[in-house]
Amino acid sequence: MEEIPFRYNGRRLKGLQGDTIAIALLRNGIRVFDRSVKRRMKRGVSCLEGYCMSCLLEVNGQPDVITCRTPLRLGMDIRSQVAIPSPKVDIRAPIQVAAFKIAGPELYYRLFTKPAWASELWMRFLARMAGRGRLAAPHAQPDPLPFQTCRVDVLVVGGGLAGIASADEANHRGANVMIIDRNDRLGGAYTRWQALGDVPELLEPLTEPLPQLSPDVQVLNNATLLALYEDKTALALSEQSAYRIFYDVAVIATGSYPRVVSFPGSDAPLHLPVQGLLRAAVETSWVPRSAILLDVDSYGTLWKSTLESLGTTVHMEKVTVEDCLTGQVQARNGSGRKGIQLASGKRLYAEVVCWSAGWYPRTELIRMAGGKAVYQKDSDQFLPVLTEQFQVAPDTFAAGGCTGTTGFRSALEHGRQAGARAVAWLRIDANQERPGTPDEQLESPPTSQGGDS
Amino acid sequence: MSQLILCHCWDVTTSEIEQVIADGAPDIEWIKRHTGISTGSCQGRWCLQQTLAWLRKHYPEYAWEQLPTARPPLYPVRVWQLAGAPLEDEQP
C-alpha cells in the first residue's frame, strides 16, 4: 500500500493510504495524542466512532479536528493543542496535579478571590494556561470553506439503512430528496458488518437486497451535519465545502452510537467500545495485536470471534456496569500496554481494552429539532418520543437506530414508512390543519402503507 | 487508585460531583453548570449516559428523566466558518 508522509509535532512520520489521522498515529506507536485541559490527563483514541472528542488535534492550522474521522492527506501538519512540551511529558501536569491536591477541584474559583488585583492576575494567568493551546496567527489559518446553498423538499440525515430506505421512498413519491452521510459510502453499520463477513445475528440479517437509490436523490457523502435551525435550514460541512440546506421536512436517521462504559482510569487512550475497533478494522484494516474484551451485554462471544478472525488475541471477561461504576473494575496502565484489574483481583494486560455494551440512540438532532428524549427504565436508554407516524417534532420524522430499534430489517421498514409520512406531510396544504405532533397525538393522516415501491 | 473520570472534556470526577451535591446543589442543572459536565466538545454524547447512570445509582433524585435540548453546532467549528453562511433571502 502507498505510504503517506505527514508531520506530528514536528516529527516526520508515515501513514498508509486510506488511514484516518488517528489510525496513522496509532500505526506509528503514538497512543497519547494530547492532554486534557483541566487535569492534564492523557488523551487519545477513546471511541474511533467520532463522538468521544478525545482525539482532537490541530491539523494544518485548523483547531479541534476529529482525527478518527478525518482522512490522512499528504504532508499534513498535525500538532497537539494542549500539551507542553509533548503529550508524553507534560510539564504542566505535575504542577496542576499538585495544585489540585492542595486546593481541591475548585482551584479555579476558590483561590486568590481577594484582593481584587490578585484575582485579576490569577484570572489572566488561568486564561494563558487554559484552553486548547493557542490559535495560529490569522494569516496562517486556513480560509473558511466556500458555502453552497441548496433547496430540497426532504432532507434525510444519515445514510444507514433507515436513511437509504426513507430517501428511496420519498423519492419514489415524487419529492426532491437529499441524503447526507458522514462516511464515504452509504450503507452505515450494515455495510460495515457485511465487510467483516456475516452480519451478527443480533442485528437481524437482511433477506432482501439494499434499495438502489435513484440518481435523482442528491447524496452528500463525507459531510457532517452541524445544525438544524428553527427556520428549516441546515448547516453541513465537508472537507471541501460548507453547505446551507433549505428544506421542508427532515427525516432523522442518525442511528446509534456504542454505549459508553466508564471505570476508574478508563479515560486513558485506547479504552473504547468494541464497535469502534471493528469500524477501524473495516475502514483502515488496522487491528490491535491483543485486546481485553469486557463483556457487559453478553454479546461478547460474538465480537470475540469477529476480532479473533481479524488476528487479534482476545481475553474476554464478563463484567457489569455496576462493577465499573463502583470501581470494582479498574484500569491498570503499564508502559505501552493497557491493563485491567477485575473485581476478583485478577489482572490482565493487552494493547487495547474494549467493551461490548450495546447501543445508545443518537437523539441530538431530534432534540435540536424540538423533539424529546425520555428515560425508559426497561431498556435503560433515553428514547425519543414519536407518534405512530414516526414524527418526533413539527416537520421532523425519525427512523432506525436513533429511535431505539436495533435490527436492520426494522430499520429498513421504519425508514420506508418515515419517508412516506414525510412526503405525506409535505403534501398537506399549508392552510389545512396538520395531523398531530407528538405533543398533541391527534388521529393519523390518511397515507398509504410504506414499502410498495 | 485512579479516579473515575466521567467527563473527558472537562475531567469531571465522581468525587467532584459528590462535592457539588454536598455543597447544596439543588438539581442536575446546577451540577452541570458548576462542573461543566456535558458542556465540552462532546456535548454530552460521551459523558451523559454514564453520568446519569451513576447519578441514578447514588443520587436518583438528581438524574434527568428527559434529556435537555441540544444546541448547534454539534461538532467543533470555527465561528469564522459559520459567519460566512448565506442568509435566508439568498436561498435558491
Side-chain angles (χ1 to χ4, degrees):
Chain A
M1 245 188 288
E2 203 187 323
E3 288 189 331
I4 300 181
F6 66 100
R7 272 165 172 272
Y8 169 68
N9 284 343
R11 283 168 66 188
R12 288 169 193 279
L13 302 171
K14 278 182 185 131
L16 295 181
Q17 179 80 38
D19 279 356
T20 58
I21 296 172
I23 294 297
L25 289 173
L26 289 178
R27 275 195 211 281
N28 284 282
I30 294 163
R31 295 185 176 87
V32 184
F33 295 180
D34 207 343
R35 292 290 179 127
S36 68
V37 173
K38 193 166 149 194
R39 285 174 199 266
R40 309 268 150 196
M41 305 300 284
K42 290 173 179 169
R43 289 286 176 266
V45 161
S46 272
C47 72
L48 286 175
E49 288 265 3
Y51 70 104
C52 73
M53 304 291 148
S54 290
C55 64
L56 301 181
L57 291 172
E58 186 186 306
V59 177
N60 293 340
Q62 179 104 9
D64 282 354
V65 172
I66 305 168
T67 54
C68 73
R69 305 295 303 135
T70 310
L72 182 73
R73 301 265 181 252
L74 192 79
M76 267 182 169
D77 185 18
I78 299 156
R79 290 166 198 273
S80 301
Q81 307 185 97
V82 181
I84 290 179
S86 80
K88 252 189 174 163
V89 191
D90 184 88
I91 51 158
R92 290 193 292 204
I95 302 174
Q96 209 139 331
V97 167
F100 268 109
K101 278 257 160 65
I102 298 162
E106 282 144 337
L107 146 88
Y108 292 111
Y109 39 90
R110 287 247 166 117
L111 283 184
F112 305 112
T113 48
K114 282 173 216 171
W117 60 267
S119 163
E120 177 140 326
L121 275 181
W122 175 235
M123 284 302 152
R124 252 189 239 171
F125 171 74
L126 286 180
R128 281 188 75 91
M129 296 284 281
R132 300 186 177 280
R134 231 160 292 167
L135 272 180
H139 63 268
Q141 285 179 37
D143 285 334
L145 298 168
F147 260 98
Q148 289 182 29
T149 47
C150 19
R151 150 110 249 135
V152 291
D153 296 335
V154 179
L155 174 68
V156 180
V157 188
L161 286 196
I164 293 177
S166 56
D168 189 47
E169 190 64 30
N171 176 57
H172 273 295
R173 284 164 191 264
N176 172 15
V177 186
M178 175 184 261
I179 183 165
I180 176 165
D181 188 51
R182 238 177 138 186
N183 304 299
D184 52 6
R185 57 179 176 162
L186 297 181
Y190 184 70
T191 322
R192 276 203 299 285
W193 300 134
Q194 255 190 339
L196 286 172
D198 285 338
V199 174
E201 273 164 46
L202 78 147
L203 297 170
E204 316 170 8
L206 290 183
T207 43
E208 52 178 312
L210 275 186
Q212 286 297 313
L213 279 183
S214 132
D216 295 340
V217 177
Q218 299 176 62
V219 181
L220 207 57
N221 278 125
N222 291 318
T224 311
L225 194 83
L226 292 176
L228 291 174
Y229 292 106
E230 275 171 9
D231 57 354
K232 293 202 272 179
T233 61
L235 273 184
L237 278 185
S238 73
E239 232 182 318
Q240 306 82 24
S241 188
Y243 300 87
R244 176 111 195 202
I245 304 154
F246 297 88
Y247 65 91
D248 283 324
V249 189
V251 178
I252 296 172
T254 43
S256 45
Y257 37 56
R259 188 183 276 267
V260 179
V261 173
S262 295
F263 44 92
S266 71
D267 58 297
L270 288 170
H271 292 77
L272 72 171
V274 66
Q275 295 98 321
L277 271 187
L278 294 172
R279 177 195 271 266
V282 171
E283 287 177 350
T284 67
S285 73
W286 176 83
V287 281
R289 282 183 301 276
S290 59
I292 299 166
L293 176 61
L294 300 176
D295 184 19
V296 180
D297 68 347
S298 76
Y299 285 111
T301 35
L302 198 141
W303 303 123
K304 182 173 185 245
S305 60
T306 315
L307 273 177
E308 279 172 345
S309 70
L310 295 166
T312 305
T313 319
V314 184
H315 313 275
M316 191 173 78
E317 286 294 334
K318 185 108 194 89
V319 300
T320 64
V321 176
E322 296 275 287
D323 289 343
C324 297
L325 283 178
T326 53
Q328 300 285 305
V329 174
Q330 285 183 28
R332 294 273 166 190
N333 295 315
S335 52
R337 56 184 192 163
K338 303 286 150 195
I340 280 287
Q341 180 164 330
L342 298 159
S344 59
K346 185 172 152 193
R347 286 190 190 185
L348 293 169
Y349 290 95
E351 200 182 333
V352 303
V353 175
C354 58
W355 57 78
S356 148
W359 282 268
Y360 203 82
R362 295 184 98 114
T363 56
E364 300 96 52
L365 281 173
I366 294 174
R367 285 181 281 129
M368 196 180 282
K372 288 177 181 164
V374 177
Y375 183 68
Q376 303 294 331
K377 202 166 183 178
D378 45 334
S379 61
D380 191 25
Q381 284 175 332
F382 282 86
L383 297 181
V385 179
L386 74 168
T387 63
E388 280 171 28
Q389 288 79 46
F390 296 93
Q391 191 170 13
V392 286
D395 308 308
T396 314
F397 294 77
C402 64
T403 61
T405 56
T406 47
F408 285 132
R409 254 173 284 162
S410 46
L412 264 188
E413 178 56 28
H414 294 181
R416 285 212 173 280
Q417 292 194 32
R421 306 292 189 187
V423 177
W425 179 264
L426 193 72
R427 294 282 154 76
I428 298 172
D429 190 79
N431 301 322
Q432 249 174 292
E433 198 179 328
R434 290 189 157 178
T437 53
D439 281 337
E440 297 148 23
Q441 290 276 2
L442 297 176
E443 70 277 349
S444 58
T447 50
S448 54
Q449 289 299 304
D452 58 353
S453 53
Chain B
M1 171 189 155
S2 46
Q3 298 199 71
L4 172 50
I5 293 185
L6 291 168
C7 160
H8 288 196
C9 303
W10 298 130
D11 292 344
V12 180
T13 62
T14 48
S15 54
E16 235 168 294
I17 296 179
E18 275 164 0
Q19 183 62 47
V20 175
I21 291 175
D23 284 354
D27 54 22
I28 186 169
E29 196 60 34
W30 187 280
I31 299 174
K32 176 181 150 188
R33 279 157 204 241
H34 217 64
T35 59
I37 202 155
S38 96
T39 65
S41 35
C42 87
Q43 287 289 295
R45 275 184 288 260
W46 182 264
C47 51
L48 219 43
Q49 322 159 16
Q50 277 308 290
T51 307
L52 291 173
W54 184 85
L55 279 173
R56 219 169 275 126
K57 184 171 159 54
H58 298 277
Y59 303 92
E61 67 276 19
Y62 281 90
W64 260 313
E65 285 304 308
Q66 186 188 324
L67 288 179
T69 307
R71 308 254 180 238
L74 276 183
Y75 293 97
V77 62
R78 287 187 303 162
V79 177
W80 191 10
Q81 177 67 57
L82 290 184
L87 300 171
E88 177 79 43
D89 48 8
E90 292 173 40
Q91 70 172 285

